[in-house]
Amino acid sequence: MSTKNKPQVFVKDPNFGWVPAMVMSQSGDKATVKVPQYKDEQSITSDGGASAKSSEERIINLKDYAHKVLPLQNVDNNNRLLAFADMIHLPYLHEAAILYNLKERHGGGNPYTRTGDIIIAVNPFQWFTELYTDEKRAYYSNKLVWEDSQKDPREGMEPHVYEVSALSYKGLAFGGGDQSILVSGESGAGKTETVKIAMNHMASVQEGPAVALSGVLDPVVQRVVDSNPLLETFGNAKTRRNDNSSRFGKYLQLQFDNSEAGLMAFGPKTESKCRLAGSKGDVYLLEKNRVVVHDTEERTYHIFYQLLSAPDAVKAGFWDKLKGTNFDSFKYIGNTTTTKIEGKTDAEHFEQTVKTLELINVKGEKLTAFMRSIAAVMQIGNLAFQEKGGDADKSECTTMGEIKDLAGLMDVSEDDLVLSFTERTMKTKTEQYKVPLNKTMAKDACDALAKEIYGKLFLWLVQEINAATCAEDNYKEGAMSTYNFGLVGLLDIFGFESFVVNRFEQLCINYANEKLQQKFTEDIFRSVQQEYEAEGIELAEIYFDDNTDVLDLIEGRSGLLALLNEECVRPKGSDFDFVQKALQQNKDSDCLITNKMDRMSFGVHHYAGKVMYDADKFVSSNQDLLPIDLGDLCMKSANFIISADMEKKAAETSGRGAPKRGKSNLVGATVWGKYKTQLMSLMNNLRKTSSRYIRCIKPNMKKVPILMEHIPTVEQLRCAGVVAAVTLSRSAFPNRIDNAVVRYRYASQWDPKATPSKSTDSMTPQESAKCDIEAILSHALREKETKSDEGKITKAFVSGKTRTYFRAGALEFLEANRMENGLDAPATKIQALARRFLVKNSLMDRLADARNAAKKKKEEEARKAAEAKNRASADAQKTAQEEQKRIQEAKKKKEKEAKEEAERQAAEIKRQAALEEERALETEEKAFLKELKKLETEIKQMEKDLAAKEKVNDKKVKKAEEEVESVEAQRTELEEKHNEIMREASKIDKGEIKSARKKIEESDKIISYLRKENKKVREQTDKMKEDLQELKEQNNRLIEANASAGASLDSLDKQKKNIATHNSKLDENLKKWKSQNSQLKADLENRTAYFKAETRIRGEYEKAMEKIIEIMEAKCDDATLIEDVSNTQMQCEAIAAQKGSPTVSDD
């Protein structure tokens, strides 16, 4: 049975995602299809089964498909796939159509495909030189930027990254608004390379049309381009998926001097007035854990292998212990089978790294300190520990030689180093003490220090790059430091992640992708809105789902972020409690998934699919706190990178400032809190720009050319939001076809008498076509019309000015009728007549060709005779020319000999002059040597003077050291006396003291909490202006109550000091102490009244906070302020729920 005219569709397949098929029959919700069987996945294509080895029939349940309709293939009349460079022109745009369109272009060596304003870049795993030549750069620059066009300049152009960079520059230079390019994709999809291609092209575009091919860049621009790969060296690593995988997010802002850009809009486009002036970069979520552990088939960061591959002389210049070392010398590094990254060895990369560091002024002592901090990270991994004296709770270092080397690297004492790993300082409100660490905890402390140092040096490098490339300091020697430069941002950030086991890092990454998807959806909605307006279609036809519900679950008032931060603050906060609270407080959320088989996990229904998260170590990962001892150790280091507080400097440099929440005594600077602050800043910056999108796709996991694996590609399309964008753009009308095609294709299904066209002779061709189409489709799709309860009829199509838009199922209905209405016979007859005409024409052509051949033969013979005659004449002429040439050569030879004689004489004169000049130089050299000898004598005298001064200084240093030893002895004596007093104090019963101290500490915590929270409320209330005037009286009552509580606190503090003083004289003053303790009890009983009053005040405070939030949400535009106040209220409620109302016992 012929399948040529059967509807060509796609069906779901468990092995290949989507496969082409032909519908053989359909009954109700079941359809019988024939599925061609190809030799392998790469051979599967839309060709009607022409290249298939066999076929099989399947019964398809239409309920498994949207609107119970099988998606149609984009094929021609011979069932051959129609591939489009811009998928907006696909008649049937859906997930399967996108997959096969990309596959066809990828197999044909076209890595870039356009979908409206989105560029989809499929990694070809090979370099197409012809796509990135200077001529190609100039072509896109001139067409898109420098040449005027009345239509879309992209029409007829192949999609390219250069298109995005050129249009972004054009938007800034001629539109005046800041731009951004958002590049996303999974590891190995080519994000980093795509960003480099776009940035390099923008550097050439800004030079203007006249120098687009010059290849010569301004020194500042060259520094921007060359310094960018530095971050790859320190932030990229080899993974299973990618040899050069970025393990951090990056937002690079290219700064342009557009002070004269307004002139370009009115004059000829012969010169660029918008020039690249510099760049600034921000980084996000560096994978610090890779520093201390990595998969056996992966590598840690490139810089470690590069440093160890450098020549011994170079390594010894940084640290003498590096000489003779290799990868196996350091446990954090380990051996690797990878010898080259992107075609270069690690040694070659290191040479380039040092040159680039010098370009940003990291050289000399700076470079040495930098490399020593890297060596310190490697050295920390070599430390080992064991139980101390058989006590499993204590540990001691077994590699003291490694400790000594590390101490030298960090410029700290060996004792401080050992103690910081084997002991931990614990602080309470009133005291500080040390606890020993077991060998496992000691090793964890080593890993924590290594990650902290690497994080510091990475942030330091980012700041050095920014200092060397930012326009404020480097462009025109800082003359425009206060100018507001135009920006083109390049965002290279991790794509959506879903693994077998997903942890805290994956939740952070997917949260960022949810925020970016929200903006992506907004931008796509805007473009669809503009298209509908241009076509004259009502905007009410657009329906789409956003991801607000997912973001509410993650960052809402009782969302995952707030609950996790609460567990990090709570004294006994745990991963289990976090999961249970999250499930309980968000049980009504459709986006939260409960895992009944594992109570330590939960799931989130992200825009790209469901992801299950293992909450193990969520709390510790969110805290990421460096122990006090290790922090103090870093501060003691003489290495300025190790001792610096880089996060504080980064906040000051970026102008963000520290997060407001960091001031609270309840919530520390958690990883998620800091990341959210960064992300909010990023999103605010992006929303001020016009954004363009590049979605990078990794076509196969084998990293080979040509091959495209269906299922991984489809998953990436979903994760990149491409499918969501298609769903949004085709939400109301999944299919669209040009009006001219509709009128021609479906005219056979029209009865003009039953449904006449409203077109008139006075109409334009466009208006007439629209009227005809409305008549044709109104008749053909009458069965697909729907009627509402109010009697309103909704048609299955909408006709625009140039295109017709079809609702779900309408186009499939038309195609089925077109096939069933007997079109086969007319088509066959037309084809027979056409073939007869072609055969007849072919015979006539052959006869004409024979006559022409005979005529050409005679002409050829005549031509050869004429050529023979001309050759004889030419030979005679050639002989005469050769004789003339011989005479001229003889004349030239004589002239040459005369010239050479004259040159010889001139050379002799010049030689004599040179000899005289040489004698004069010898005389000057003797005088110079005499002067040099005199200077050497003076230098020796100065060295003697310097040695004498050094001796004097040594004596002074020795005297100072003796004074220090004396002070140390005094301190030791005082500590012994203190310990003796404490031993005496331990002999008495401390029950009553402990009870009193506990009550004091409780009251201290509550009053301190009320003081700080009241201060925050007062500061926020000042900002509310007239709307918060009615709350001032309540706030004043809080201030008065706090002042009263403060007075009581001062009294209690004095009594605490008295108790401490009396404890040193326990034998003599025991009776007096008991009397004072009784007085203290009486005072504490008096506090009961205060606490009851404070309880009522706190109730009023909570009501006031609720009213503040209501007013702020209604009238305040500052989203950050609203969020801060909301989070503060939640913390207060959490404390109240945990501790209950403050009370004082009668004990």
Side-chain angles (χ1 to χ4, degrees):
M1 182 179 178
S2 174
T3 60
K4 181 176 180 180
N5 294 318
K6 295 295 181 181
Q8 305 292 311
V9 298
F10 290 107
V11 296
K12 296 177 181 178
D13 185 90
N15 298 318
F16 305 119
W18 293 96
V19 294
M22 291 79 74
V23 178
M24 307 306 295
S25 63
Q26 182 174 339
S27 176
D29 293 336
K30 302 291 183 181
T32 301
V33 300
K34 179 176 286 188
V35 181
Q37 302 297 300
Y38 298 84
K39 65 177 182 179
D40 53 34
E41 184 175 29
Q42 186 60 22
S43 303
I44 301 175
T45 185
S46 292
D47 63 356
S51 61
K53 61 181 182 180
S54 62
S55 63
E56 68 175 28
E57 286 194 353
R58 297 183 188 177
I59 305 299
I60 302 299
N61 187 353
L62 297 179
K63 292 181 180 179
D64 296 335
Y65 297 81
H67 308 290
K68 298 182 181 180
V69 175
L70 295 175
L72 291 171
Q73 299 178 35
N74 294 292
V75 293
D76 59 15
N77 291 331
N78 294 319
N79 294 332
R80 298 288 180 180
L81 178 68
L82 295 172
F84 292 84
D86 191 341
M87 292 195 291
I88 200 69
H89 299 307
L90 285 174
Y92 316 118
L93 184 57
H94 43 71
E95 185 176 276
I98 294 173
L99 171 65
Y100 279 83
N101 193 79
L102 291 177
K103 182 178 181 180
E104 181 72 13
R105 288 182 57 77
H106 174 63
N110 297 301
Y112 302 115
T113 305
R114 188 187 303 118
T115 303
D117 290 331
I118 308 167
I119 291 293
I120 300 175
V122 180
N123 192 340
F125 292 115
Q126 58 182 315
W127 184 258
F128 294 116
T129 304
E130 66 275 11
L131 290 180
Y132 308 102
T133 61
D134 288 341
E135 289 76 12
K136 189 70 72 173
R137 289 187 183 191
Y139 171 73
Y140 279 89
S141 301
N142 293 332
K143 284 286 185 183
L144 297 175
V145 180
W146 304 113
E147 294 180 5
D148 292 322
S149 176
Q150 300 300 321
K151 59 179 183 179
D152 188 347
R154 297 176 299 173
E155 289 185 14
M157 296 182 72
E158 271 291 309
H160 203 293
V161 172
Y162 291 165
E163 168 189 319
V164 179
S165 53
L167 290 176
S168 295
Y169 175 80
K170 184 178 182 179
L172 176 65
F174 298 100
D178 291 344
Q179 308 288 309
S180 60
I181 301 174
L182 279 63
V183 184
S184 66
E186 75 163 52
S187 178
K191 300 188 299 296
T192 301
E193 192 63 33
T194 299
V195 168
K196 286 193 288 187
I197 292 171
M199 187 176 71
N200 289 338
H201 183 239
M202 209 168 306
S204 65
V205 173
Q206 58 92 34
E207 292 288 335
V211 291
L213 294 176
S214 69
V216 179
L217 298 179
D218 180 84
V220 174
V221 177
Q222 192 69 51
R223 196 183 307 156
V224 171
V225 173
D226 291 345
S227 63
N228 186 60
L230 260 184
L231 291 178
E232 293 183 33
T233 300
F234 291 84
N236 287 25
K238 178 186 182 296
T239 66
R240 286 177 177 265
R241 296 186 175 185
N242 183 10
D243 287 350
N244 190 30
S245 175
S246 295
R247 310 314 301 161
F248 66 103
K250 175 178 63 178
Y251 184 52
L252 179 67
Q253 293 178 304
L254 301 179
Q255 300 170 294
F256 289 83
D257 175 9
N258 57 351
S259 56
E260 299 180 359
L263 302 176
M264 296 170 63
F266 303 101
K269 297 179 180 178
T270 58
E271 182 182 359
S272 173
K273 299 290 185 182
C274 183
R275 306 301 295 269
L276 182 59
S279 70
K280 293 189 296 186
D282 283 331
V283 293
Y284 307 92
L285 272 189
L286 175 69
E287 186 187 14
K288 291 192 288 187
N289 200 52
R290 182 171 290 271
V291 173
V292 300
V293 63
H294 58 83
D295 190 282
T296 54
E297 295 186 19
E298 299 183 348
R299 304 203 319 176
T300 183
Y301 292 106
H302 294 327
I303 185 58
F304 295 116
Y305 302 93
Q306 292 181 14
L307 176 58
L308 292 174
S309 299
D312 278 345
V314 176
K315 291 191 290 186
F318 300 130
W319 183 39
D320 57 352
K321 300 291 185 180
L322 282 178
K323 187 175 182 179
T325 57
N326 55 36
F327 301 156
D328 288 326
S329 302
F330 299 96
K331 295 179 181 179
Y332 281 162
I333 314 303
N335 206 352
T336 176
T337 57
T338 303
T339 57
K340 291 187 176 182
I341 297 293
E342 295 189 342
K344 290 184 178 181
T345 64
D346 290 312
E348 292 170 336
H349 276 297
F350 183 73
E351 185 178 353
Q352 183 60 41
T353 297
V354 173
K355 289 181 180 178
T356 310
L357 285 169
E358 186 175 351
L359 186 68
I360 63 169
N361 202 33
V362 177
K363 53 188 176 181
E365 294 183 359
K366 260 189 182 182
L367 179 62
T368 301
F370 189 45
M371 291 300 171
R372 286 175 69 86
S373 63
I374 297 171
V377 173
M378 296 190 294
Q379 182 67 13
I380 291 171
N382 288 351
L383 302 183
F385 300 86
Q386 66 179 12
E387 294 179 1
K388 185 176 182 180
D391 189 344
D393 293 331
K394 297 181 180 180
S395 62
E396 61 182 359
C397 183
T398 59
T399 51
M400 292 306 296
E402 304 287 357
I403 281 284
K404 182 178 180 180
D405 292 342
L406 179 59
L409 264 177
M410 295 180 62
D411 286 330
V412 296
S413 72
E414 294 179 37
D415 292 340
D416 287 342
L417 198 57
V418 172
L419 289 176
S420 64
F421 291 139
T422 57
E423 293 182 355
R424 179 163 300 172
T425 299
M426 307 298 290
K427 287 185 177 182
T428 65
K429 189 72 177 178
T430 58
E431 59 183 340
Q432 175 176 310
Y433 56 94
K434 290 184 179 290
V435 296
L437 301 180
N438 60 37
K439 62 180 183 179
T440 302
M441 296 173 70
K443 189 59 180 173
D444 289 343
C446 289
D447 292 345
L449 181 60
K451 291 188 287 185
E452 177 70 12
I453 294 176
Y454 196 79
K456 284 185 175 186
L457 68 88
F458 186 72
L459 287 178
W460 181 84
L461 176 64
V462 172
Q463 291 171 22
E464 289 297 303
I465 293 174
N466 287 341
T469 60
C470 69
E472 290 83 356
D473 296 335
N474 300 281
Y475 183 61
K476 293 184 178 179
E477 298 181 350
M480 299 179 67
S481 59
T482 59
Y483 179 70
N484 190 19
F485 292 94
L487 300 175
V488 176
L490 290 164
L491 180 65
D492 173 6
I493 201 163
F494 13 68
F496 185 86
E497 291 189 353
S498 179
F499 303 130
V500 176
V501 179
N502 300 285
R503 301 198 183 278
F504 175 76
E505 291 77 12
Q506 278 67 52
L507 183 57
C508 289
I509 289 171
N510 293 341
Y511 169 49
N513 279 273
E514 287 288 356
K515 297 291 285 186
L516 293 172
Q517 179 66 19
Q518 184 183 46
K519 185 180 188 308
F520 181 60
T521 303
E522 292 170 358
D523 291 343
I524 296 301
F525 175 81
R526 230 180 339 263
S527 66
V528 173
Q529 186 179 22
Q530 292 170 357
E531 179 187 352
Y532 280 25
E533 288 176 347
E535 290 288 336
I537 298 175
E538 293 182 10
L539 297 178
E541 299 286 1
I542 306 177
Y543 305 97
F544 72 96
D545 294 325
D546 59 16
N547 61 341
T548 304
D549 49 355
V550 184
L551 291 172
D552 286 342
L553 170 64
I554 297 174
E555 63 182 9
R557 294 173 60 183
S558 59
L560 302 178
L561 170 59
L563 294 175
L564 182 57
N565 282 343
E566 180 184 316
E567 286 303 304
C568 291
V569 172
R570 206 162 60 86
K572 294 184 179 180
S574 66
D575 300 322
F576 179 81
D577 289 344
F578 159 66
V579 174
Q580 300 312 306
K581 288 180 180 179
L583 296 176
Q584 176 62 31
Q585 297 193 29
N586 296 280
K587 59 184 178 182
D588 296 330
S589 174
D590 295 332
C591 300
L592 186 64
I593 304 170
T594 302
N595 185 356
K596 296 182 179 179
M597 303 298 293
D598 183 3
R599 302 193 67 187
M600 274 290 287
S601 69
F602 64 94
V604 177
H605 202 311
H606 291 285
Y607 74 91
K610 299 177 181 178
V611 180
M612 297 304 298
Y613 295 97
D614 185 347
D616 184 37
K617 296 184 179 178
F618 257 51
V619 172
S620 60
S621 297
N622 190 36
Q623 290 172 329
D624 193 27
L625 298 176
L626 190 70
I628 297 172
D629 306 82
L630 296 179
D632 292 342
L633 179 71
C634 289
M635 294 298 293
K636 293 177 182 178
S637 174
N639 187 312
F640 65 91
I641 296 176
I642 297 176
S643 62
D645 187 351
M646 300 310 303
E647 289 192 356
K648 182 178 179 182
K649 288 186 178 180
E652 292 172 353
T653 304
S654 64
R656 291 194 302 266
K660 295 180 181 178
R661 293 277 301 279
K663 297 178 181 179
S664 173
N665 65 326
L666 298 174
V667 179
T670 61
V671 171
W672 202 340
K674 290 186 287 187
Y675 181 49
K676 183 182 178 184
T677 301
Q678 277 188 308
L679 195 57
M680 288 176 62
S681 174
L682 173 65
M683 296 310 299
N684 288 336
N685 290 334
L686 290 178
R687 284 196 166 87
K688 296 174 184 176
T689 67
S690 296
S691 299
R692 299 181 186 277
Y693 297 89
I694 302 176
R695 296 303 194 229
C696 297
I697 302 296
K698 185 179 182 181
N700 62 79
M701 301 301 113
K702 300 174 183 176
K703 296 184 282 190
V704 296
I706 306 300
L707 177 64
M708 177 171 281
E709 297 172 345
H710 292 190
I711 292 178
T713 302
V714 168
E715 289 175 350
Q716 291 176 72
L717 289 171
R718 292 172 183 164
C719 293
V722 175
V723 175
V726 169
T727 304
L728 172 56
S729 64
R730 300 292 177 97
S731 58
F733 306 104
N735 305 305
R736 60 193 71 184
I737 301 179
D738 290 343
N739 284 346
V741 177
V742 173
R743 182 162 60 174
Y744 170 78
R745 192 164 188 168
Y746 303 116
S748 61
Q749 302 182 44
W750 177 34
D751 183 354
K753 293 181 180 179
T755 315
S757 173
K758 296 181 181 179
S759 64
T760 63
D761 295 339
S762 61
M763 290 183 176
T764 64
Q766 190 180 76
E767 293 171 341
S768 179
K770 181 178 179 180
C771 291
D772 291 347
I773 289 167
E774 288 179 347
I776 292 170
L777 296 181
S778 294
H779 181 81
L781 293 173
R782 195 180 302 278
E783 295 180 27
K784 303 295 288 183
E785 292 178 352
T786 59
K787 192 173 184 179
S788 65
D789 295 338
E790 294 78 15
K792 182 180 179 180
I793 296 176
T794 302
K795 294 184 178 182
F797 72 96
V798 172
S799 180
K801 294 178 181 178
T802 62
R803 292 176 180 169
T804 299
Y805 298 77
F806 296 90
R807 298 188 192 279
L811 195 58
E812 290 81 357
F813 178 81
L814 287 174
E815 286 294 311
N817 286 343
R818 192 167 75 92
M819 295 299 179
E820 294 174 2
N821 285 342
L823 293 182
D824 288 354
T828 304
K829 186 174 181 180
I830 291 170
Q831 290 172 355
L833 291 172
R835 291 192 185 99
R836 180 180 175 186
F837 173 76
L838 292 173
V839 170
K840 183 178 179 181
N841 280 358
S842 176
L843 179 61
M844 297 299 291
D845 290 342
R846 285 198 296 272
L847 290 173
D849 290 343
R851 286 194 294 270
N852 292 333
K855 183 179 179 181
K856 287 181 179 179
K857 185 176 180 181
K858 291 180 180 179
E859 292 175 349
E860 181 67 17
E861 290 174 352
R863 186 183 62 78
K864 288 181 178 178
E867 286 181 352
K869 184 179 179 181
N870 292 336
R871 273 198 301 271
S873 175
D875 290 344
Q877 186 178 1
K878 184 177 180 182
T879 302
Q881 289 176 349
E882 287 177 350
E883 180 63 23
Q884 181 68 22
K885 184 177 180 182
R886 186 184 62 77
I887 295 170
Q888 290 178 352
E889 287 178 349
K891 183 179 179 182
K892 287 181 180 178
K893 184 177 181 182
K894 290 181 180 179
E895 292 176 350
K896 183 178 180 182
E897 290 174 351
K899 184 178 179 182
E900 287 176 349
E901 178 63 22
E903 289 177 349
R904 187 186 63 76
Q905 293 176 359
E908 180 63 23
I909 293 171
K910 188 176 181 181
R911 188 180 67 80
Q912 292 295 336
L915 287 173
E916 292 178 3
E917 185 178 352
E918 186 177 352
R919 292 190 192 101
L921 288 173
E922 287 178 355
T923 303
E924 291 180 2
E925 185 177 357
K926 289 178 181 179
F928 173 76
L929 290 173
K930 184 177 180 181
E931 183 66 22
L932 181 61
K933 189 174 182 181
K934 180 180 178 183
L935 291 173
E936 287 177 347
T937 304
E938 293 179 358
I939 289 170
K940 288 180 180 179
Q941 183 60 39
M942 293 173 69
E943 287 177 346
K944 290 179 181 179
D945 295 342
L946 180 61
K949 291 181 179 179
E950 285 179 348
K951 289 180 180 180
V952 173
N953 287 337
D954 289 342
K955 291 180 180 179
K956 292 181 179 180
V957 170
K958 186 175 181 181
K959 182 178 180 182
E961 288 176 347
E962 291 174 353
E963 292 177 355
V964 170
E965 290 177 357
S966 175
V967 172
E968 286 291 332
Q970 293 176 8
R971 184 176 65 83
T972 303
E973 183 180 352
L974 290 173
E975 286 180 350
E976 291 176 355
K977 291 181 179 180
H978 172 74
N979 292 336
E980 183 179 356
I981 292 171
M982 294 305 295
R983 284 194 296 271
E984 291 295 329
S986 63
K987 294 178 181 178
I988 69 164
D989 182 15
K990 297 183 179 179
E992 295 181 354
I993 298 175
K994 187 176 181 181
S995 174
R997 181 178 294 169
K998 183 178 180 181
K999 293 172 184 177
I1000 293 170
E1001 289 177 351
E1002 289 178 352
S1003 63
D1004 186 29
K1005 289 179 181 178
I1006 294 172
I1007 294 168
S1008 177
Y1009 164 74
L1010 288 174
R1011 268 184 172 175
K1012 293 182 178 181
E1013 293 302 317
N1014 188 53
K1015 183 179 179 181
K1016 288 170 63 177
V1017 170
R1018 187 166 63 252
E1019 291 173 350
Q1020 294 162 356
T1021 302
D1022 291 338
K1023 298 177 183 177
M1024 298 302 295
K1025 297 182 179 179
E1026 295 180 0
D1027 296 327
L1028 300 178
Q1029 188 63 35
E1030 58 183 304
L1031 300 174
K1032 284 185 177 179
E1033 294 181 1
Q1034 296 178 3
N1035 197 44
N1036 289 334
R1037 286 199 298 271
L1038 288 174
I1039 294 171
E1040 293 171 0
N1042 241 1
S1044 175
S1048 298
L1049 177 62
D1050 292 337
S1051 175
L1052 292 174
D1053 285 339
K1054 290 180 180 180
Q1055 292 170 0
K1056 280 168 52 180
K1057 291 178 181 178
N1058 290 336
I1059 292 172
T1061 303
H1062 294 159
N1063 281 343
S1064 64
K1065 301 177 181 180
L1066 290 174
D1067 293 334
E1068 299 176 1
N1069 301 310
L1070 186 58
K1071 292 182 181 181
K1072 186 177 180 180
W1073 174 83
K1074 287 182 178 180
S1075 174
Q1076 290 179 344
N1077 191 46
S1078 299
Q1079 183 62 39
L1080 177 62
K1081 277 187 174 182
D1083 291 338
L1084 288 173
E1085 288 173 356
N1086 293 335
R1087 284 296 301 142
T1088 303
Y1090 284 110
F1091 290 163
K1092 289 180 179 179
E1094 287 165 359
T1095 302
R1096 289 194 299 273
I1097 291 170
R1098 189 167 69 186
E1100 293 175 0
Y1101 160 76
E1102 291 174 352
K1103 292 178 182 178
M1105 286 298 301
E1106 290 175 357
K1107 197 164 185 180
I1108 289 172
I1109 292 170
E1110 290 175 359
I1111 295 174
M1112 289 179 69
E1113 290 177 341
K1115 300 184 179 182
C1116 182
D1117 294 329
D1118 190 342
T1120 304
L1121 178 60
I1122 295 173
E1123 183 181 8
D1124 286 343
V1125 175
S1126 301
N1127 288 336
T1128 299
Q1129 184 192 21
M1130 282 195 300
Q1131 293 162 12
C1132 296
E1133 292 172 355
I1135 294 298
Q1138 177 185 341
K1139 295 185 177 180
S1141 300
T1143 58
V1144 176
S1145 66
D1146 296 331
D1147 294 341

